[in-house]
Amino acid sequence: MNYLVPAWHRLLNDWSWTIPRIEFDDAVSHIKVFQESKVPYSLVITDYQPQLSTKLNQLTIFPSEILNVFDYLQGVNHLDNQVVTYHDFAWPADAYFDFTSFRIVVIVKGHPYAKITFDTQGKILWIDYFVNDRHTRRLLLDSRGFVSREELFNDQDQPIQHIYYDEQGYWRIKHNLSTDQVEVNDLFPALTKQLHYEHLSELMVEVVQNHLLNRFDSDNDHLIVTLDDQAKFDQTEYLKYQPLFSLSHWHPYQQSLTKINAESDNQLNLLADNEETRELIKKQTGINAPVIPLFQSRFNLGHSQRLSQERIGLFIEGMTDEEVHQVVELIYQRLVKKPAAEALTLLTYSIEKMQLAQDCINQLKEKHQGEFVLASEAPDEVEEILTKQTKIPKLDIDAQRITTPAEIGRQFDSLRIIIDWGATLDEFLQITAISTGIPQLCRQPNRRVEDHKNGIICPAIPDINQGLDYYLGNLKHWNQALVYDVQLMNNYSATELMTKWRTILKK
C-alpha cells in the first residue's frame, strides 16, 4: 500500500471571504496519477481537518483508506454525511433570526446571541456565541454533520481552549492553548496510553505510531510524505518508516529538510517536482533527487484553427507591471492594424494581477482615445455605426482570471498562441499549452519549449512580435508546433509518470 501524507493545513473560511483561486499541491498530483493508473493508496491526515469530506469531494479523490489523527481521537470512522441545519440547535424561545447575505444572526432582547456562518455549499461552518456583546465561544462543525470542536475565548477574543467531541456529543480531549497540555476524557480509557499529555504533538505521535501506521510493512508498503515547514507534526518521526519525502516549490521545506537531514542515519529518499527544486535540494544536502513533474498532460487539443480570428493569450502572473504594459502596447499595435484577424486575452490567477490587466486595458483606452473601440463595450448596432462613420477599428481585448483547472482548459481551447514571459515559467500553464497543442513564447530556455518547434524563446520584449509573426497568419509553423506538442504529451502522460513512480518505489 502507498500511504500519502499531504500538507493540508488550511480550514475552510467564511464563504463571504472565500475567493475562488486555483491551488496546486504535490500530494494531489501524485494521487491523480495513482488513481488514473488504478494504483491503491491511503491518506494519512495529521492536521485537524473538519471539512475533509468536502475537500475530497471537491478534488474527486477516492482513497482506499483514510487514517486521520483527529478522527481516531474523536471516534469517527466513516465519510457518511448527515444534514445539520440551524433548527437542530437549541435557541431561546424569544430568539429572532436575521437572515443576511452571508450568515444568520440570532438576536435575543436586542443583542446578538449567535452568528451562524456557512460554507460555499450551504453547510454550517461554525456558530459563534456572544454574552453581553462579547464573543465567548465557537462551535466548529464537521462537514459530515456534527459538532466537532468547541473553541473558548478570553476577554481579548483570543482562543484559550479547544474541546473535541465525538458524534454523540461526548468530549474526547481538551487542549489548553496557553500551556499546550492535553486532557483525555477518562470515559474512554482505551483511547490513549495516558490521560494527560504535556504537548499535543506527543499525543499525535502516539496516535500515528500506535494506531494509524501500526500495520505499516516497510517491505511492502511505501510512505510518501510532503515535506513542509508548516507541519505541526514532527516530520522526523517518519524516518523510522524509511519514507519518500516529496518536495515542491508549492510548500516551503528548507527548514524541515535541514532537520531531517541532520537526524537521519541513512541516505534520505527525496523526490523533487522539477529540475529547479532538484538543484536546490542538491545544494542543501548533496542528494541528487529524482524528478516527477506534478502536472500530467491530457490529450485535449484546442479548436482555435476553426476560428477566423486568431486569439493571443498573455499570461501576466509572473510579469512586472511595467512588462505587462509594454507587452500589451506591443500587441495593441498589431491588433489596430488588423482588428478582424487577431484578438487578445490577458490571463492570470490572482485578483491583484486581474486588476493590473483591467488597468492596462483602461490605459490603452486613455492613451489611444478615439483610435479604437472595445468590442465588449457597445452593442453591435452602435459599434457598426461608429466604425462606418469614423472608421474606428473594433478590437477584441479582454481579461480572464483562472480559478480552476477546468477554466484554463476552456480558455486555452480558443487560443492560437500563449505568451508566458514571466521571470519564472508556470509549469501548469506550459503543460496545458502542450495538451492543447498551441505554441508558446517564453522569456528563457526551458525543458518544455523547444525553440522553433513548439514555441520560440524571446529574450527581449520586441522579440515577442517576431514570435507572433512566425505562428500567426498561416498554419504551416503552427501545425509543426502542434505535431511536436503531441509528441511531448507522452513525456507527461499519467502512464509515463506512473512508470517513473514504479522505478522510484522499487528502490
Side-chain angles (χ1 to χ4, degrees):
M1 177 62 71
N2 299 304
Y3 295 89
L4 288 95
V5 184
W8 294 347
H9 310 305
R10 193 169 61 90
L11 301 181
L12 290 183
N13 204 348
D14 177 349
W15 81 278
S16 65
W17 292 91
T18 299
I19 299 172
R21 61 179 181 178
I22 196 165
E23 295 182 298
F24 303 110
D25 181 79
D26 62 325
V28 173
S29 298
H30 302 332
I31 287 168
K32 295 295 186 181
V33 173
F34 290 161
Q35 284 190 168
E36 290 203 17
S37 303
K38 295 181 171 51
V39 174
Y41 68 92
S42 296
L43 286 178
V44 180
I45 308 297
T46 57
D47 279 49
Y48 177 62
Q49 291 284 300
Q51 292 88 33
L52 182 62
S53 64
T54 295
K55 185 181 186 72
L56 296 181
N57 288 334
Q58 291 173 342
L59 295 171
T60 63
I61 286 176
F62 312 105
S64 302
E65 187 179 17
I66 298 175
L67 307 174
N68 188 321
V69 168
F70 284 91
D71 271 9
Y72 169 80
L73 291 172
Q74 295 177 263
V76 185
N77 56 10
H78 63 85
L79 286 177
D80 299 330
N81 296 334
Q82 63 178 348
V83 177
V84 175
T85 73
Y86 72 97
H87 295 291
D88 296 314
F89 294 84
W91 304 108
D94 56 346
Y96 169 76
F97 296 90
D98 183 10
F99 294 83
T100 72
S101 301
F102 306 115
R103 59 182 63 86
I104 298 175
V105 180
V106 184
I107 307 295
V108 175
K109 294 183 173 57
H111 294 278
Y113 177 85
K115 290 182 181 179
I116 307 168
T117 302
F118 301 88
D119 67 11
T120 54
Q121 296 183 338
K123 294 182 179 180
I124 298 177
L125 273 178
W126 60 71
I127 303 176
D128 289 310
Y129 289 88
F130 301 86
V131 175
N132 297 326
D133 296 330
R134 185 177 72 82
H135 187 198
T136 57
R137 66 189 181 111
R138 168 178 289 179
L139 297 183
L140 194 62
L141 271 71
D142 191 286
S143 56
R144 289 165 289 190
F146 66 94
V147 174
S148 174
R149 184 168 81 181
E150 182 178 15
E151 301 175 354
L152 304 181
F153 295 84
N154 60 16
D155 292 342
Q156 288 74 45
D157 201 21
Q158 298 297 317
I160 56 175
Q161 187 180 49
H162 288 166
I163 306 173
Y164 296 85
Y165 294 91
D166 60 21
E167 293 178 284
Q168 289 71 42
Y170 293 99
W171 72 268
R172 292 292 188 113
I173 63 170
K174 294 181 179 180
H175 180 208
N176 187 312
L177 301 183
S178 59
T179 65
D180 201 33
Q181 293 181 352
V182 177
E183 177 186 356
V184 180
N185 193 334
D186 57 11
L187 292 177
F188 307 95
L191 186 65
T192 57
K193 287 185 175 180
Q194 54 197 60
L195 297 179
H196 297 278
Y197 293 85
E198 288 299 314
H199 300 283
L200 178 62
S201 58
E202 296 175 3
L203 176 56
M204 294 172 67
V205 169
E206 177 188 310
V207 172
V208 169
Q209 292 180 351
N210 295 347
H211 303 284
L212 303 192
L213 294 179
N214 58 320
R215 295 174 292 149
F216 185 86
D217 181 357
S218 57
D219 293 329
N220 299 302
D221 299 328
H222 303 97
L223 184 63
I224 304 166
V225 180
T226 295
L227 198 61
D228 169 37
D229 289 344
Q230 297 178 333
K232 298 180 177 66
F233 187 87
D234 185 356
Q235 296 187 305
T236 61
E237 297 291 338
Y238 295 124
L239 289 173
K240 64 189 69 173
Y241 303 102
Q242 301 175 22
L244 173 64
F245 288 105
S246 175
L247 290 78
S248 80
H249 63 287
W250 303 109
H251 299 287
Y253 59 81
Q254 286 78 11
Q255 295 178 11
S256 298
L257 180 57
T258 298
K259 185 176 180 180
I260 65 168
N261 192 40
E263 297 195 20
S264 177
D265 296 328
N266 303 307
Q267 170 97 359
L268 292 175
N269 295 318
L270 306 178
L271 176 67
D273 64 332
N274 56 35
E275 299 290 342
E276 292 76 15
T277 301
R278 175 163 69 179
E279 290 304 312
L280 291 173
I281 294 172
K282 192 172 183 179
K283 287 181 181 179
Q284 189 170 347
T285 65
I287 298 173
N288 193 26
V291 174
I292 292 186
L294 296 190
F295 306 112
Q296 56 183 283
S297 62
R298 299 181 182 277
F299 192 81
N300 189 28
L301 299 181
H303 299 87
S304 64
Q305 68 271 33
R306 301 180 184 179
L307 306 176
S308 59
Q309 192 177 51
E310 298 179 303
R311 183 168 294 277
I312 302 166
L314 175 60
F315 183 67
I316 67 173
E317 193 68 28
M319 299 172 63
T320 66
D321 292 9
E322 180 61 28
E323 290 168 350
V324 175
H325 283 288
Q326 290 182 31
V327 176
V328 169
E329 176 65 29
L330 179 148
I331 298 175
Y332 165 77
Q333 297 299 333
R334 296 179 58 91
L335 268 57
V336 77
K337 295 175 183 176
K338 38 187 174 181
E342 296 180 5
L344 171 64
T345 295
L346 284 75
L347 299 169
T348 185
Y349 296 145
S350 64
I351 291 178
E352 295 77 15
K353 290 296 185 180
M354 185 62 180
Q355 182 61 53
L356 170 62
Q358 297 290 355
D359 291 343
C360 283
I361 295 174
N362 291 332
Q363 186 184 75
L364 276 183
K365 291 161 58 179
E366 294 177 6
K367 183 178 179 180
H368 302 282
Q369 189 172 13
E371 296 179 13
F372 73 97
V373 59
L374 284 178
S376 60
E377 290 194 342
D380 291 341
E381 59 271 17
V382 175
E383 293 172 2
E384 187 176 350
I385 294 172
L386 281 172
T387 54
K388 281 184 177 180
Q389 291 179 345
T390 62
K391 299 188 183 303
I392 295 176
K394 180 177 67 174
L395 302 187
D396 189 347
I397 303 174
D398 67 348
Q400 301 290 335
R401 191 168 78 88
I402 300 166
T403 59
T404 65
E407 175 62 25
I408 195 172
R410 286 192 292 270
Q411 294 295 332
F412 272 51
D413 185 69
S414 61
L415 293 184
R416 186 63 62 89
I417 191 170
I418 183 70
I419 304 170
D420 182 7
W421 210 76
T424 302
L425 296 174
D426 188 89
E427 294 173 69
F428 177 56
L429 181 117
Q430 288 193 301
I431 296 299
T432 303
I434 291 172
S435 300
T436 312
I438 62 174
Q440 307 175 49
L441 302 184
C442 302
R443 185 178 197 163
Q444 54 200 354
N446 61 91
R447 301 183 314 281
R448 290 167 291 274
V449 176
E450 188 72 23
D451 197 31
H452 284 83
K453 290 189 176 179
N454 67 326
I456 293 179
I457 306 305
C458 304
I461 288 179
D463 298 331
I464 293 175
N465 211 25
Q466 300 172 21
L468 294 173
D469 287 338
Y470 187 79
Y471 285 113
L472 302 183
N474 67 78
L475 286 175
K476 177 184 176 182
H477 296 143
W478 190 88
N479 280 330
Q480 291 172 350
L482 171 63
V483 171
Y484 193 81
D485 274 338
V486 171
Q487 295 172 351
L488 276 181
M489 286 184 202
N490 294 328
N491 298 334
Y492 298 96
S493 66
T495 301
E496 180 62 23
L497 296 183
M498 196 62 233
T499 299
K500 293 182 179 181
W501 267 112
R502 289 191 174 97
T503 301
I504 292 172
L505 296 178
K506 284 180 181 178
K507 293 181 179 179

